[in-house]
Amino acid sequence: MYKKFGKRLIDLVLSACGILVLSPILLILVIAIKLDSPGPVLFKQKRVGLHKKHFNILKFRTMRIDTPRDMPTHMLTNPEQWITKVGGFLRKTSLDELPQIFNILMGQMSVIGPRPALWNQYDLIAERDKYGANDVMPGLTGWAQINGRDELEIPVKARLDGEYVEKMSLMFDIKCFIGTVVSVLKHDGVVEGGTGELNKKKENEAAGK
């Protein structure tokens, strides 16, 4: 019952309330982005949704307009060079994700679920297929997000997404939501350079580099 109806009802209520309550903050962020750098306020990117159907995810723009498109951050050379001043703050606090409440309202995403992969992240998509994680609604945040986020290697991230599919319930979603609030406040798992970057740093330190 929860998976078929309750989860979507909660998504509708939370996204609608979120838009109303957060509208002053959204307006302030829009102004800050416009004053900081030239270009649009919103960044649209093709992502993989339910049953691998593509949709455009919405984010506040955090990078320069000449940044290579459709490329995961971890594949960029020196990703910090592309991030704007306001963008760095938005990414660190995860405020760049706020426009996705409109994706949730439109039924393209859920509050809790596996983070939607880029359309060309074939390795992550293939790994998620093993666990049925491409057959649930992607989320604003999820189990993998509070257990490593950018630090995770792709096989580990996909396995955690699979655990979410198995344990999906109202109580587990509440657990993920609370864990997300804690992670955001502590800035856990945010590593510019992306997937598996922390492990690379540890390996370099161990090698004395």
Side-chain angles (χ1 to χ4, degrees):
M1 181 67 73
Y2 173 71
K3 294 180 182 180
K4 289 185 176 181
F5 305 108
K7 188 173 175 66
R8 179 57 188 155
L9 178 61
I10 291 173
D11 286 339
L12 279 171
V13 172
L14 290 180
S15 57
C17 291
I19 292 170
L20 290 175
V21 173
L22 297 174
S23 55
I25 295 176
L26 294 172
L27 179 59
I28 291 172
L29 293 179
V30 165
I31 295 171
I33 294 168
K34 290 299 290 183
L35 292 175
D36 182 47
S37 64
V41 170
L42 291 178
F43 173 70
K44 297 180 181 180
Q45 192 174 57
K46 188 162 67 173
R47 296 288 182 117
V48 179
L50 180 66
H51 304 313
K52 294 189 279 191
K53 181 179 179 181
H54 293 162
F55 72 100
N56 286 321
I57 198 172
L58 301 176
K59 289 188 176 188
F60 280 128
R61 182 176 57 83
T62 61
M63 291 184 159
R64 294 168 10 205
I65 57 176
D66 58 339
T67 304
R69 291 186 62 83
D70 292 330
M71 183 176 293
T73 305
H74 69 277
M75 293 182 66
L76 292 171
T77 301
N78 188 16
E80 291 86 355
Q81 69 175 316
W82 303 102
I83 300 173
T84 64
K85 292 179 181 179
V86 170
F89 168 76
L90 294 177
R91 293 165 74 93
K92 187 175 182 180
T93 57
S94 295
L95 290 173
D96 60 316
E97 311 285 358
L98 280 182
Q100 287 160 48
I101 55 180
F102 292 97
N103 288 118
I104 296 170
L105 186 66
M106 291 185 290
Q108 298 168 324
M109 291 178 61
S110 177
V111 174
I112 308 295
R115 282 297 294 165
L118 277 166
W119 67 273
N120 57 357
Q121 282 184 294
Y122 304 115
D123 48 355
L124 177 57
I125 296 168
E127 284 292 321
R128 283 178 168 171
D129 269 336
K130 299 176 182 178
Y131 303 100
N134 290 314
D135 295 319
V136 297
M137 191 75 76
L140 177 65
T141 185
W143 187 233
Q145 290 297 102
I146 63 174
N147 283 283
R149 195 172 176 175
D150 297 334
E151 301 173 5
L152 299 174
E153 298 287 352
I154 283 174
V156 178
K157 183 179 294 186
R159 179 177 56 77
L160 288 169
D161 290 334
E163 286 184 19
Y164 173 75
V165 174
E166 293 179 358
K167 299 178 181 179
M168 189 191 306
S169 65
L170 175 60
M171 293 308 299
F172 196 64
D173 277 2
I174 292 174
K175 180 177 181 178
C176 290
F177 185 84
I178 294 173
T180 297
V181 174
V182 173
S183 295
V184 168
L185 292 176
K186 294 171 63 179
H187 308 308
D188 283 348
V190 181
V191 181
E192 293 303 345
T195 305
E197 188 67 16
L198 188 63
N199 286 342
K200 294 176 186 175
K201 290 182 180 179
K202 288 180 178 179
E203 289 171 2
N204 288 337
E205 289 172 0
K209 296 181 179 179

